[in-house]
Amino acid sequence: MLLSGKRVADKIKADIIHAVEEYKKNGQAPKIAILRVGAREDDVAYEERVLKNCRATGIEAKVVEVDLNIDMQSFVDELNRLNEDTDIHGILIFRPLPEHLDMEEISKIIKPEKDIDCMSPVNVQKVFTGDSDGITPCTPEAVIEILKHYGYDLQGRNVAIVNRSMVLGKPLAMLFLAENATVTICHSKTRDLKEITKMADIAVTGIGKGKFFGPDYFSKDSIVIDVGINFAGGKLCGDVDFDKVSGQVSAISPVPGGVGTVTSMILLSHVIKAMKLQKK
Ligand code: NAP
């Protein structure tokens, strides 16, 4: 089975549109603020995708571009203005920030209930303590959403995650645990990786190496979620060699059109969640 991200994203999008309409009926307009330092090409491209999704869902957007050489205090002042602005419900800061801006300090300043990209240590802690009353990192949430959308009961499943970063592997392991799955986290020093991924019911790949995983990493019953984003020969591809693997496993998410598509929509769903948290 092809685990298309588009179908999942469309469902989330429909839910957001409905929520935005309800808020607007009550005179409230869900609004995101993007805080961007400088105009790096990939930041601007990402911003365009976010703004396109905002237009498609009715979420309002404000872009705050600050100078590449902005000092820490001025950046914090800018962030605090957004923190205190009651018309802004979600704040997105593009990362990585220039080195002279203290990322750790900034992540402590963003209001947790406006932190739609899960930077704040308060939200990170909630993921790790199993408190669902916070905002989770978008990509791990997208992985779980895809599996749930296609009807997989995660309870008792053996999951292998090949990634131990804070963006993906570690928080994702917590989300799977919250679903009562059994999780193995793998990384570049893992021995017998093939055996572990092959034994797992669900294998999540996120190593950033194009077409690294061939059919020998999986079994015919494997459910494969490919998070990797790579370019090979000018074309976007995942960590899994899709052409060789797709016919040999039970289900697989494609790249492009898989996790990334869902992640973008999850980000906007967090604006709605943030509004609910701010009301509390
Ligand atoms: P990262 O911090 O570089 O983490 C890569 C992980 O892969 C590390 O844990 C690393 O192990 C492990 N690894 C590397 N080579 C390996 C190998 N040969 N065997 C086993 N493990 C190996 O990268 P990241 O930020 O987490 O992102 C990972 C990938 O996901 C990238 O392709 C990125 O573009 C993609 N991504 C996609 C989305 C999306 O929405 N689809 C979002 C975020 C990231 P060590 O810890 O031992 O180094």
Side-chain angles (χ1 to χ4, degrees), residues 49-255:
R49 289 198 298 277
V50 174
L51 293 177
K52 187 173 163 223
N53 284 337
C54 285
R55 286 192 293 274
T57 52
I59 289 180
E60 294 186 1
K62 167 182 176 157
V63 176
V64 180
E65 179 182 341
V66 296
D67 192 84
L68 194 57
N69 299 316
I70 190 170
D71 61 80
M72 181 68 182
Q73 189 53 53
S74 307
F75 185 87
V76 168
D77 291 345
E78 206 60 72
L79 177 55
N80 274 330
R81 266 193 284 280
L82 298 174
N83 271 340
E84 297 314 319
D85 185 341
T86 50
D87 287 341
I88 299 291
H89 306 98
I91 301 172
L92 175 63
I93 300 174
F94 287 150
R95 294 175 271 176
L97 287 170
E99 269 182 18
H100 68 278
L101 297 175
D102 184 343
M103 184 65 207
E104 203 180 322
E105 201 49 41
I106 289 163
S107 67
K108 289 180 197 155
I109 293 167
I110 189 171
K111 268 194 181 172
E113 62 273 25
K114 290 192 177 187
D115 170 32
I116 56 170
D117 205 19
C118 194
M119 289 174 70
S120 162
V122 173
N123 282 321
V124 173
Q125 188 194 9
K126 285 185 178 183
V127 174
F128 280 79
T129 55
D131 180 348
S132 60
D133 213 11
I135 297 179
T136 39
C138 298
T139 307
E141 190 178 331
V143 172
I144 301 289
E145 279 302 312
I146 290 172
L147 290 164
K148 285 190 173 173
H149 179 93
Y150 287 98
Y152 292 108
D153 180 8
L154 304 180
Q155 178 154 319
R157 298 268 194 171
N158 288 316
V159 180
I161 303 170
V162 196
N163 179 297
R164 59 171 160 179
S165 75
M166 278 302 286
V167 176
L168 178 63
K170 285 176 184 165
L172 179 57
M174 296 303 121
L175 299 187
F176 271 119
L177 279 182
E179 299 291 335
N180 296 318
T182 303
V183 187
T184 306
I185 303 182
C186 308
H187 47 79
S188 65
K189 310 290 183 293
T190 298
R191 283 189 210 154
D192 305 323
L193 181 62
K194 276 183 193 170
E195 299 312 312
I196 298 171
T197 50
K198 207 180 234 174
M199 288 290 288
D201 301 309
I202 300 166
V204 181
T205 60
I207 68 170
K209 292 182 178 156
K211 301 186 183 184
F212 178 93
F213 295 90
D216 46 341
Y217 281 85
F218 309 108
S219 78
K220 66 175 180 26
D221 297 319
S222 295
I223 300 159
V224 182
I225 306 289
D226 190 357
V227 184
I229 298 176
N230 313 283
F231 284 92
K235 276 180 81 179
L236 191 60
C237 70
D239 290 342
V240 178
D241 190 339
F242 186 86
D243 291 341
K244 290 190 180 140
V245 170
S246 55
Q248 311 287 324
V249 294
S250 164
I252 183 167
S253 69
V255 180

